[in-house]
Amino acid sequence: SLLSIMGSVTLSIFTIIFSVKFIFGNLGNIFIILVNCMDLINTRKISLADHLLTALAISRVGLIWVLFSSWWRDMFFPNFWMNLIMVRTMYIIWIVTCHFNIWLATCLSIFYCLKVANFSNSIFLYFKWRVKKVISVTLLVSLVVLLLYLLQSNTHMNVLIDEHKRNISYNSSLQNFPEFSKLVLLSNTMFTFIAFALSLTTFLLLIFSLWKHLKRMQHSVRGSRDASTTAHINALQAVVAFLLLYTTFFLSILTELWITKFPNILYFYFCLAGEIAFPSVHSFVLILVNSKLKQACLPVLSWLRCGSKDESPHS
């Protein structure tokens, strides 16, 4: 029928979109890791920003593969049986990779804000002069939050497993845990709100700092873009991309859990395509706003352009 054909075409489109994001997400994040590792080998040192970028890229490769494994299982093995250990392991890996994706990106936003923004406030200057300590404390807080998150999720999991054992036989499938998934989402919202609020604060501070800087620049050469303005815009691009893509990621998870009441494979793949955009697309934004990564990317693009010209037929 026409509806089945349209459904198959739509499913194929979502599969292609998901596959493209999966491939390019891996390439972008692995590129960041390789460039920073090569820089570490050559110079024997690595900056704080590169530390954060490398750790973020590693965590995003992990999250991309978690999403890919979920897609692969539901695409090719929809009736795959999952035992208790597999369910628990799956949720722990998802929680850890998602947590570090959000908090490392937040630390990067804080770093950009403290390095780029200019305020005469004594508290801001105190943090600006101690940016490494601020990032270290933020990461330490994130680890405490992760521990609390895992303990709470484990408690919910144990309660649901006990109910599951009482209601049906122990050997039954534990594949679908919609109640636990909703509790995970609720916990994720609560525990990542701090990170999201911090990133939103850095965005507002960068906007205000840029406005003050442009106001000062009105009395100088008009139409010119100085280094500070460029730095503000680059930092804003990274922070805005993170906020928008994380919002898309969160709304996709919310929609995916909501449609568990009305299972539809098309909606599921639509949600997965939205989820994988967060660890994939944001990495390319970070490459574009980072001068070192952007310079390292130019030879690769030039090589690809030359390769495509060599393969083209001569007229």
Side-chain angles (χ1 to χ4, degrees), residues 18-263:
F18 182 86
S19 301
V20 169
K21 288 180 179 179
F22 169 76
I23 294 170
F24 279 91
N26 274 297
L27 290 176
N29 285 292
I30 291 173
F31 174 78
I32 294 173
I33 296 169
L34 289 176
V35 169
N36 286 328
C37 286
M38 291 298 295
D39 190 47
L40 175 62
I41 293 171
N42 294 330
T43 62
R44 302 292 180 182
K45 60 181 180 179
I46 186 170
S47 66
L48 177 60
D50 290 338
H51 269 295
L52 293 173
L53 282 168
T54 305
L56 180 59
I58 293 171
S59 68
R60 284 183 165 169
V61 170
L63 181 58
I64 288 171
W65 278 95
V66 168
L67 294 172
F68 177 78
S69 63
S70 176
W71 170 80
W72 182 268
R73 186 198 68 203
D74 292 315
M75 181 75 173
F76 299 102
F77 307 99
N79 298 318
F80 181 71
W81 184 82
M82 294 182 67
N83 60 27
L84 185 140
I85 297 175
M86 293 173 67
V87 172
R88 191 186 294 272
T89 304
M90 178 189 71
Y91 276 112
I92 288 175
I93 293 174
W94 187 87
I95 287 170
V96 171
T97 54
C98 182
H99 177 89
F100 282 113
N101 266 265
I102 296 163
W103 275 94
L104 286 170
T106 300
C107 288
L108 202 59
S109 300
I110 294 172
F111 176 83
Y112 285 147
C113 179
L114 293 177
K115 282 292 185 180
V116 173
N118 291 308
F119 295 103
S120 57
N121 183 274
S122 58
I123 298 176
F124 183 84
L125 291 175
Y126 177 85
F127 289 145
K128 190 180 182 71
W129 294 332
R130 295 164 177 81
V131 61
K132 288 186 178 181
K133 288 185 178 180
V134 172
I135 298 300
S136 299
V137 170
T138 305
L139 289 173
L140 183 61
V141 169
S142 75
L143 291 177
V144 174
V145 170
L146 176 60
L147 179 62
L148 294 174
Y149 190 4
L150 288 172
L151 289 174
Q152 186 189 47
S153 300
N154 188 62
T155 302
H156 291 322
M157 173 70 85
N158 290 335
V159 170
L160 287 172
I161 287 171
D162 290 338
E163 292 179 0
H164 186 84
K165 288 179 181 178
R166 286 196 301 267
N167 294 335
I168 55 177
S169 65
Y170 178 74
N171 292 324
S172 298
S173 172
L174 294 174
Q175 180 177 356
N176 296 317
F177 260 177
E179 297 89 356
F180 180 70
S181 297
K182 288 171 185 175
L183 288 171
V184 168
L185 176 66
L186 183 62
S187 300
N188 183 67
T189 305
M190 180 176 65
F191 285 115
T192 60
F193 176 76
I194 303 171
F196 189 81
L198 286 172
S199 294
L200 186 60
T201 302
T202 61
F203 167 73
L204 296 175
L205 288 173
L206 283 166
I207 285 286
F208 186 57
S209 177
L210 178 61
W211 174 74
K212 287 180 64 179
H213 176 72
L214 292 177
K215 195 173 181 181
R216 289 193 299 267
M217 289 292 293
Q218 285 180 351
H219 303 289
S220 61
V221 181
R222 293 183 178 273
S224 63
R225 179 184 288 188
D226 64 322
S228 180
T229 304
T230 303
H232 273 84
I233 293 173
N234 288 341
L236 280 169
Q237 287 174 343
V239 176
V240 169
F242 166 66
L243 292 172
L244 291 177
L245 289 168
Y246 175 67
T247 302
T248 303
F249 177 79
F250 177 77
L251 292 177
S252 298
I253 296 174
L254 182 65
T255 306
E256 183 182 339
L257 294 178
W258 176 257
I259 62 176
T260 52
K261 297 179 180 179
F262 316 98

Side-chain angles (χ1 to χ4, degrees), residues 31 35-36 287 290-301:
F31 174 78
V35 169
N36 286 328
I287 291 173
N290 186 286
S291 58
K292 183 181 75 174
L293 294 174
K294 192 174 181 180
Q295 287 296 321
C297 190
L298 293 177
V300 178
L301 295 176

